[in-house]
Amino acid sequence: MTAQIRKSGGTVTIHRIELPTPFPVGPVNAYLLVTDSQRVLVDCGPKWPLAQEALLNGLRQHGVTPQELTGVLLTHGHIDHVGLTSIFQTHGVPVFAHPDVNTWLEPRGPWDTYRSAFFTRLYTTMGVPEDFVSETVQTLFLLNQWNDRSVVDVELTDGMEFPLIPQFQIVEVPGHAQAAIALWDPDHRLLVCGDQVLPTISSNALIEPVLTAPSGETAARTKSLLDYRANLKRLNAFNIQTIYPGHGEPFHNASALITRRLEEQVERREAFLDLLRTEQSATAYQLAVKYFPRHRSQLSLIMSETIGYLDWLHAQGAVTVQADAQGVVTWRIVG
Ligand SMILES: [Zn+2]
């Protein structure tokens, strides 16, 4: 899909370049934004030969070589969006992203150690059996094979203009990932939003460590689903016409889809509440494997999902939470 946006300062053309990935999510989107003076790539796929070939072919079809890009913008730090960043950075193309995306661009570095310690403690306190804890944490870091080292050159945060194409404003979109930004064009009510809103699947609000602790062992965790809902409500007030998502086709009537996602979350919250009524009390792990019996192999995803809904029920006063002497947390229905 190619879209042209006419502005008093010129025209921006958005080309979608779909890239294969080796992940269950399927293909990922990169976008090439072209103006008179700029050639900006938004996201760049995992470091995987088939993705690289598709990306370079896609750029070639639009008459752009990697060296001719004037910037790479990363919507968030997940590997299916950032793995190939280094092939452009080595050509001197500046990388634009939220500052904390840096923590995703250093595979096998100190932030991996931090995350590994954090998730080991998180899963242990959420009642995951010991064998699964190490297996799940190891699986997370196997993903490093699709990543490469790079660094954010220009940090973008909420409310800034995108310096290369100032008609786009930067909007932070915490939820699916904490360090996540979208490009918002208020004149055309158009949002390039990474994985925050996807057309055919609901995005996971992934639990992450808060990055300010001295080590992963002591890092607090995010309440990602609550952040995600707050951000979806904020986006809904933008009256967005068109979304260019990180996976799947660009789509119109974005507000209707965002409203539907918010409603689906309410339904799932009620389902978790019913489950907890039956169980009376349980660890997040016990609830996760009951609610998602066929997704045990994707433990990190189902744990984020379950903890997110428990956070929500807790914020509503529907459940209490208590840790035992070992720190293992039990959630109990109120009343
Ligand atoms: Zn993602």
Side-chain angles (χ1 to χ4, degrees), residues 14-302:
I14 304 179
H15 301 288
R16 173 176 172 240
I17 304 173
E18 197 177 50
L19 312 174
T21 77
F23 309 122
V25 69
V28 65
N29 292 328
Y31 293 100
L32 176 64
L33 313 181
V34 179
T35 71
D36 285 350
S37 58
Q38 304 296 334
R39 310 267 179 279
V40 176
L41 183 66
V42 177
D43 290 343
C44 45
K47 195 186 90 177
W48 189 47
L50 296 181
Q52 181 165 341
E53 192 185 321
L55 182 54
L56 296 178
N57 274 339
L59 290 173
R60 200 175 300 125
Q61 272 170 22
H62 299 299
V64 178
T65 64
Q67 296 91 316
E68 286 168 340
L69 288 173
T70 52
V72 169
L73 181 141
L74 304 174
T75 57
H76 62 299
H78 293 166
I79 285 157
D80 49 339
H81 299 258
V82 307
L84 286 169
T85 308
S86 66
I87 67 168
F88 303 103
Q89 193 152 49
T90 53
H91 286 298
V93 180
V95 175
F96 296 74
H98 186 285
D100 288 345
V101 166
N102 269 317
T103 68
W104 296 92
L105 302 181
E106 223 189 328
R108 291 168 286 275
W111 287 109
D112 270 8
T113 311
Y114 188 98
R115 286 197 169 85
S116 167
F118 167 80
F119 282 111
T120 301
R121 186 176 60 90
L122 176 74
Y123 295 145
T124 305
T125 57
M126 290 296 160
V128 177
E130 208 178 320
D131 289 357
F132 288 165
V133 171
S134 45
E135 189 185 303
T136 306
V137 173
Q138 276 166 22
T139 310
L140 285 176
F141 295 98
L142 282 178
L143 293 171
N144 273 331
Q145 63 186 297
W146 321 110
N147 203 357
D148 210 349
R149 284 190 180 219
S150 50
V151 68
V152 177
D153 295 302
V154 183
E155 299 181 349
L156 299 177
T157 52
D158 201 70
M160 292 172 70
E161 280 181 348
F162 178 40
L164 301 184
I165 311 178
Q167 75 198 58
F168 283 114
Q169 294 171 3
I170 304 301
V171 181
E172 289 188 25
V173 288
H176 167 67
Q178 287 296 314
I181 56 169
L183 288 172
W184 167 235
D185 176 347
D187 291 340
H188 298 85
R189 319 213 74 74
L190 174 166
L191 190 76
V192 183
C193 74
D195 291 353
Q196 189 72 343
V197 185
L198 299 175
T200 57
I201 48 173
S202 68
S203 297
N204 293 96
L206 297 168
I207 304 278
E208 294 181 20
V210 174
L211 300 176
T212 49
S215 75
E217 279 96 350
T218 53
R221 67 173 177 82
T222 56
K223 293 191 173 174
S224 302
L225 183 63
L226 300 181
D227 294 341
Y228 186 37
R229 286 185 60 77
N231 185 258
L232 287 184
K233 287 175 185 173
R234 180 187 178 201
L235 293 181
N236 231 357
F238 285 19
N239 190 18
I240 304 164
Q241 278 298 313
T242 310
I243 280 185
Y244 289 79
H247 302 269
E249 299 265 352
F251 58 96
H252 301 297
N253 297 323
S255 287
L257 184 73
I258 293 172
T259 303
R260 199 169 88 218
R261 292 280 180 260
L262 286 164
E263 288 166 0
E264 288 164 356
Q265 290 168 352
V266 172
E267 285 165 23
R268 183 163 276 186
R269 181 199 66 199
E270 291 308 299
F272 268 104
L273 186 60
D274 285 345
L275 179 60
L276 205 51
R277 255 192 215 108
T278 311
E279 302 294 316
Q280 287 293 304
S281 73
T283 64
Y285 173 73
Q286 289 166 335
L287 292 171
V289 294
K290 279 229 158 73
Y291 193 88
F292 302 102
R294 282 172 301 149
H295 296 88
R296 274 167 178 257
S297 61
Q298 293 182 293
L299 197 65
S300 61
L301 294 182
I302 67 173

